[in-house]
Every structure is written in structure tokens, then in C-alpha cells.
Amino acid sequence: NWLFTLFQVVHAHKPHFMALHCQEFGGKNYEASMSHVDKFVKELLSSDAMKDYNRARVYLDENYKSQEHFTALGSFYFLHESLKNIYQFDFKAKKYKKVTGKEIYSDTLESTPMLEKEKFPQDYFPECKWSRKGFIRTRWCITDCAFDLVNIHLFHDASNLIAWETSPSVYSGIRHKALGYVLDRIIDQRFEKVSYFVFGDFNFRLDAKAVVETLCAKATMQTIRAADTNEVVKLIFRESDNDRKVMLQLEKKLFDYFNQDVFRDNNGTALLEFDRELSVFKDRLYELDISFPPSYPYSEDSSQGKQYMNTRCPAWCDRILMSHSAKELILKSENDEKIVIYDHIGPNVCMGDHKPVFLSFRIAAGAGKPIANVHKCCVVQ
């Protein structure tokens, strides 16, 4: 289902250059699942839907035995046969190399000069619990237009109860610190500065305290504590009248709101005011207007393509962001044709707990020149 739905998007938009960024490759049980990863990659590269893409680069961080380096990130890049003179940057040699053929790199990406990969410093991790969060960066040049593509995975909310305690939450502060680290890294003095796109699972969450106060504005709250530790383990919000109907139950990994339609109606637009984490970076990052429902957490039941799980408050975790200079690379529509599209994939299909998000646009190669060749690109989170 996942590949079939992706191929439908490829067929509809027909990009000349496509970047596909994945996180948590191999799932939780890496040793058992890596064989599925290999099958997935082979199917993706050999599919009829991708037959016109005669060059590809695949970077898979499969070295799960290295706790110090493992990020479980996967970055795929596909080049259409009609696209000429595509170059990728060699970070070690500090020069561009022409892209030919199809190549797959996995296991140990640290020795691959065509990318930069880094796991966040251990002191960035909440409670210093070492997990698979980090980024992979590649740099490309299409007819004199250079840009970085950064695959990123930021920290999740470990507990709904802790996220609810403060506004903004302690977790948003951790994500803020990590994203700032990446942005500083990709514009440091080691290499020439170019435009950049950062896309992946940012794990951005809605301001939990503000959301709960809004959704349960007229409710009364009951606090349930553990008998032995007196620690809060559950919050129950009930309507003041209407037979004290339960509106919301909140636990560490439970967010059970009685009416999921509020997250789906009009693509959840009413909740966008609580999506505040990106505002800290408004001087450094740009995002197109969101017009799709929260991308997480969807049911993993294959028959429940539209249903959210009751584990977390639905949020726009998966995003495609860009530098302000990258925004200028994207051509503005010259007529009524919708050239720039920012949307999610598989609205009615089970795609896993995250719905993939994509950005399709036409890029002005050699931007700033009077006559620029135009190529259509697509990036998928």
C-alpha cells in the first residue's frame, strides 16, 4: 500500500528530481526487519513506476549495532532520464561530482564523503537516554542551482502528562535546541552557504496545555494518583452537566478525546493556532501554509486509513521547511496552474502511524539569472 500510494503521487506530479526522506528505517526490531528493508529498496528501485529514473542514490543507516552513530535514517534521491548535468557535493574533497548510475550505501555511512551524518550529542537527549535521533545532509547542483537536502528526526514527547504541565512544554524546548544545532551546523564556515530544505519527522506537537484547556473549557478535572508514589497517573475531564460525560482521558501514553472529528474537520485548521514550535525559527525557516490534517498518530490497522490512535494528541509532526533563500528558488505561479503543492500522501490509506508529507514545486535553476532552465522537483517526507 505504501509504495503503491507513493507511486500514484510520482505519476501525478512527474518530478524530474525526487528526494524521499524516511525515519526509523527497519522499525523497532532491526535485526528481524532489515531483510524487509532490502526488499523494499529493491522494489522501489526496480518498479515500473520508477523506470524513467535512470540515476539514484540511496543512503541507509543500517548500522544498528553502533549505539554511538545509529540514526535509522534513510535518504533516497531519484533523477529522471531527461535531467542532464546533475552533480552531488563531495564533502571531503569539497567539490561536485557528476551523478551517474544507481548506487546504494548502507551499514556505515560515516565513511561516505557524499553526505554528512550526525547523531545529536548525548547531552541533548532527554534524560540522556540514547535513542536514534539525528540528521543526514546531502548537497546537490542542478544546472548552477545548488541546495542542501537535510533529513532530520527530532525528539518525541515521552509523556502526555509532562507535556501538559507547562506551556510551552519541556519537550518543545529540547526540539528547539536540537533543530538550532542542525541549522547552525549546515551554515557554518566549513563550506559555501547554499539554500537548504530540511524535512523529516520534527515531532512538533501542539501546545498540549492550551489545547486541553480549549477542548475541555467547560469540563471539570479529576486527578488520579498512584497509591504507592502519589504520582499523577491519569487526568479525567468530564462535562459539568450532560450526566458528567467523559470528554478526555489523559495518561502518559493515552490521549483519548471523545470527538476525533475536531482533528479532521477542515483539515484540523482550528488547531493550527496551537502549532507554535516553528515560530521560534521564523527568521531562519519558511514553511508553506499547511492545508492537510495532522500527520500523526494514525492507526496502523490497514482498514483504518483515516483513524487516529488514542495515544497522543494529533499534531503536524512531519514537515518540509526551507531557508528563506530556498523559498526564492521556488517559482511563483505565472497563471492559474497550481505549481507549488504542499500536501500529505494517502489520506484514506493506512501508511503507518505517520502520513507522509510532500512538497512539489518548480525550481528556478540558476536562480537570479535572466534565462533560467526550469525543472520540476518533488521532496517527500
Side-chain angles (χ1 to χ4, degrees):
N1 277 355
W2 200 99
L3 281 172
F4 179 76
T5 308
L6 173 70
F7 293 152
Q8 286 182 316
V9 175
V10 174
H11 179 74
H13 296 278
K14 298 179 172 58
H16 295 153
F17 178 92
M18 186 174 88
L20 171 66
H21 284 177
C22 304
Q23 294 81 40
E24 292 295 358
F25 234 80
K28 291 183 173 66
N29 190 351
Y30 295 100
E31 289 196 55
S33 300
M34 280 305 175
S35 59
H36 299 299
V37 171
D38 295 339
K39 181 182 176 184
F40 172 87
V41 173
K42 287 173 183 173
E43 193 170 338
L44 185 54
L45 289 174
S46 63
S47 165
D48 278 350
M50 304 300 289
K51 67 180 185 299
D52 294 332
Y53 296 86
N54 62 347
R55 290 149 294 168
R57 291 293 182 271
V58 178
Y59 303 104
L60 301 174
D61 188 1
E62 296 184 324
N63 189 22
Y64 54 84
K65 293 181 180 178
S66 173
Q67 190 179 47
E68 185 182 349
H69 298 294
F70 183 50
T71 63
L73 295 173
S75 298
F76 299 72
Y77 304 98
F78 301 92
L79 287 65
H80 194 271
E81 60 189 10
S82 65
L83 205 53
K84 309 300 180 189
N85 299 322
I86 303 300
Y87 297 87
Q88 188 182 359
F89 191 66
D90 182 319
F91 288 96
K92 189 172 182 180
K94 294 190 177 182
K95 64 181 181 182
Y96 288 93
K97 294 182 177 178
K98 191 168 185 177
V99 180
T100 59
K102 297 180 179 180
E103 297 176 3
I104 300 173
Y105 298 87
S106 63
D107 198 16
T108 306
L109 297 184
E110 282 72 32
S111 59
T112 303
M114 307 310 288
L115 59 80
E116 283 200 322
K117 180 180 87 75
E118 193 173 340
K119 195 167 180 173
F120 291 116
Q122 188 167 13
D123 61 352
Y124 276 55
F125 286 77
E127 301 166 357
C128 285
K129 184 183 178 184
W130 200 255
S131 62
R132 303 166 296 277
K133 302 298 190 292
F135 68 95
I136 289 179
R137 168 200 195 184
T138 56
R139 177 170 291 189
W140 302 84
C141 185
I142 302 179
T143 52
D144 296 330
C145 180
F147 50 88
D148 280 351
L149 297 177
V150 182
N151 183 351
I152 193 169
H153 193 185
L154 296 183
F155 303 98
H156 65 283
D157 281 15
S159 167
N160 292 323
L161 293 169
I162 293 174
W164 178 82
E165 287 175 352
T166 58
S167 176
S169 79
V170 62
Y171 301 117
S172 69
I174 295 164
R175 288 187 284 271
H176 173 197
K177 181 180 178 184
L179 181 53
Y181 177 89
V182 175
L183 297 182
D184 290 343
R185 182 77 171 153
I186 62 179
I187 63 165
D188 63 18
Q189 301 302 312
R190 294 169 302 138
F191 308 105
E192 178 188 3
K193 288 184 177 63
V194 300
S195 301
Y196 56 84
F197 296 85
V198 185
F199 48 113
D201 179 8
F202 291 84
N203 263 314
F204 289 158
R205 306 301 171 100
L206 304 185
D207 186 317
K209 193 166 187 65
V211 168
V212 171
E213 288 174 352
T214 300
L215 294 179
C216 304
K218 297 180 180 179
T220 56
M221 184 180 79
Q222 177 187 358
T223 302
I224 298 175
R225 299 177 180 272
D228 51 347
T229 64
N230 204 37
E231 178 186 6
V232 175
V233 293
K234 189 171 188 174
L235 299 174
I236 302 175
F237 296 83
R238 302 176 185 273
E239 291 189 23
S240 300
D241 44 24
N242 195 23
D243 294 329
R244 299 197 30 86
K245 177 183 174 183
V246 174
M247 298 181 69
L248 172 68
Q249 295 186 75
L250 201 66
E251 297 178 19
K252 181 179 180 180
K253 293 186 178 181
L254 178 73
F255 188 98
D256 188 0
Y257 188 63
F258 79 105
N259 180 20
Q260 273 204 4
D261 288 343
V262 72
F263 304 110
R264 288 189 287 256
D265 289 348
N266 195 25
N267 292 321
T269 302
L271 296 167
L272 275 171
E273 66 172 294
F274 305 113
D275 178 70
R276 298 167 179 169
E277 293 196 32
L278 190 57
S279 62
V280 179
F281 295 95
K282 63 179 183 297
D283 294 334
R284 305 181 73 177
L285 291 169
Y286 172 79
E287 181 179 29
L288 291 160
D289 290 339
I290 292 175
S291 58
F292 48 88
S295 64
Y296 171 86
Y298 280 92
S299 169
E300 294 178 292
D301 181 336
S302 60
S303 66
Q304 299 288 334
K306 286 185 172 182
Q307 187 77 15
Y308 288 108
M309 285 191 286
N310 292 328
T311 52
R312 309 288 184 191
C313 176
W316 289 271
C317 292
D318 307 275
R319 316 281 275 260
I320 297 173
L321 313 177
M322 66 196 80
S323 63
H324 288 281
S325 60
K327 173 190 171 186
E328 301 306 316
L329 295 177
I330 298 176
L331 284 182
K332 302 293 187 293
S333 179
E334 295 176 359
N335 50 39
D336 292 333
E337 182 188 1
K338 195 173 184 183
I339 291 177
V340 180
I341 301 171
Y342 186 31
D343 205 352
H344 65 324
I345 294 176
N348 303 313
V349 179
C350 177
M351 302 289 284
D353 57 347
H354 290 257
K355 289 284 190 212
V357 169
F358 78 97
L359 173 64
S360 174
F361 57 90
R362 297 170 71 88
I363 196 165
K369 296 184 178 181
I371 301 173
N373 296 315
V374 175
H375 297 286
K376 191 171 184 183
C377 296
C378 184
V379 293
V380 181
Q381 157 29 32

